[in-house]
Amino acid sequence: MLGTIFNEILYRPIFNGLIFLYNIIPGHDFGIAIILLTVLIRIILFPLAYYSIKSRQSLAIIQPKLKEIQQKYKTKEEQSRELMKAYKEHGVNPFSGCLPILIQLPILLALYQVFIKVLKPESLSILYGFIKNPIEINPLFLGVVDLSVPNYILAVLAGISQFFYSKLTIKYSPQLPQASDKKGAGVGIQKIMGRQMMYFMPILTIFIALRLPAGLSLYWFLSTLLGLVQDYFLLRKKNWSHPDAKSVV
């Protein structure tokens, strides 16, 4: 059941979308089709990204109240209870920043299956009736890069873009007070985790990308780069600027 839902909602539409773009591009460049598909997916996910950033803004605005709670209540149970009350009172979801990542994971999984199967002629049988069957697909990007096999340059580019995206995200993430018996301990842990993730995620990205078809690495790089540009301009808006929205790095 879940497999059918996944195939019909993500895998098959993405597969057909990629073939459609491949068909209409002059010269039938597989890489350019992936670039256009990446932009299209980013546009579709923009409302979710915007919601996530607005939620982070709300967290920054109520930060003084959260710090006050942390100082006023000494036990973990009291702090946790009052923090959750504050989040509910102001309509803030402290976990909203994770939504784009959670949405991207199944999309990446669907894209992985697409790039694994799209070059096999028998897989084209799942095309919608209005999508022309290209019979075969040339996996070259600009006539040079074979997107059907791993490519270390694209893998490294994906890792570099992930580093700068993580750095931007951490820079504009408000310091969330955490329930703790020791004043300031929660923030200290948050700083350490922020630094670790900023360096760990790019390395993990490169490690994974080196084992995937370069088409997926190209998507990963471009999607992260577009996300970096998008979030930079959204986070730089005046209504985000707040004295309590400090970097955790």
Side-chain angles (χ1 to χ4, degrees):
M1 182 64 178
L2 290 177
T4 301
I5 294 174
F6 173 82
N7 286 335
E8 294 304 319
I9 293 180
L10 286 176
Y11 171 69
R12 196 177 180 193
I14 291 175
F15 187 100
N16 279 266
L18 181 59
I19 297 299
F20 172 77
L21 293 171
Y22 179 81
N23 284 336
I24 66 173
I25 293 170
H28 303 296
D29 191 299
F30 191 50
I32 295 178
I34 292 174
I35 292 173
L36 294 178
L37 180 67
T38 305
V39 174
L40 181 61
I41 291 175
R42 268 291 168 185
I43 292 174
I44 294 173
L45 295 180
F46 177 78
L48 182 63
Y50 185 77
Y51 166 75
S52 175
I53 288 176
K54 292 296 289 184
S55 295
R56 275 187 275 169
Q57 176 188 0
S58 299
L59 281 171
I61 292 174
I62 69 169
Q63 217 174 46
K65 182 175 180 63
L66 301 182
K67 290 180 179 179
E68 180 184 336
I69 290 173
Q70 191 178 40
Q71 294 172 358
K72 182 178 179 180
Y73 299 94
K74 302 304 179 183
T75 67
K76 293 175 65 175
E77 291 75 14
E78 289 177 318
Q79 288 181 21
S80 297
R81 183 177 62 251
E82 294 302 320
L83 286 173
M84 294 308 296
K85 283 183 181 179
Y87 292 143
K88 185 176 181 180
E89 179 183 347
H90 292 84
V92 174
N93 182 356
F95 306 108
S96 60
C98 300
L99 286 177
I101 298 176
L102 294 177
I103 294 295
Q104 280 277 24
L105 287 177
I107 291 177
L108 280 173
L109 179 58
L111 283 164
Y112 170 74
Q113 292 191 11
V114 167
F115 293 136
I116 288 294
K117 299 177 182 179
V118 72
L119 299 176
K120 299 177 181 179
E122 61 271 19
S123 67
L124 298 175
S125 61
I126 67 169
L127 290 176
Y128 299 136
F130 59 88
I131 303 292
K132 179 183 176 182
N133 191 327
I135 308 302
E136 64 177 5
I137 297 175
N138 183 352
L140 294 184
F141 176 34
L142 300 177
V144 178
V145 183
D146 187 348
L147 298 177
S148 66
V149 297
N151 183 284
Y152 73 92
I153 295 178
L154 288 174
V156 171
L157 286 175
I160 292 173
S161 62
Q162 183 65 53
F163 170 79
F164 285 106
Y165 184 77
S166 299
K167 188 174 183 180
L168 178 73
T169 301
I170 293 171
K171 178 180 180 181
Y172 285 98
S173 294
Q175 296 178 5
L176 298 182
Q178 300 178 13
S180 173
D181 290 329
K182 296 181 180 179
K183 184 178 178 181
V187 174
I189 294 173
Q190 189 178 355
K191 286 182 178 180
I192 294 172
M193 289 183 64
R195 291 194 187 100
Q196 289 178 342
M197 291 304 293
M198 188 171 66
Y199 294 103
F200 174 73
M201 284 304 296
I203 294 174
L204 179 62
T205 297
I206 294 174
F207 178 80
I208 294 175
L210 285 172
R211 287 157 175 76
L212 298 175
L216 189 56
S217 299
L218 177 61
Y219 166 82
W220 201 330
F221 164 61
L222 287 172
S223 181
T224 306
L225 186 62
L226 290 173
L228 177 63
V229 175
Q230 166 193 277
D231 289 7
Y232 175 79
F233 284 105
L234 288 176
L235 292 169
R236 293 285 291 181
K237 281 186 175 181
K238 288 184 179 180
N239 64 351
W240 164 258
S241 301
H242 189 278
D244 291 310
K246 299 177 182 177
S247 167
V248 299
V249 228

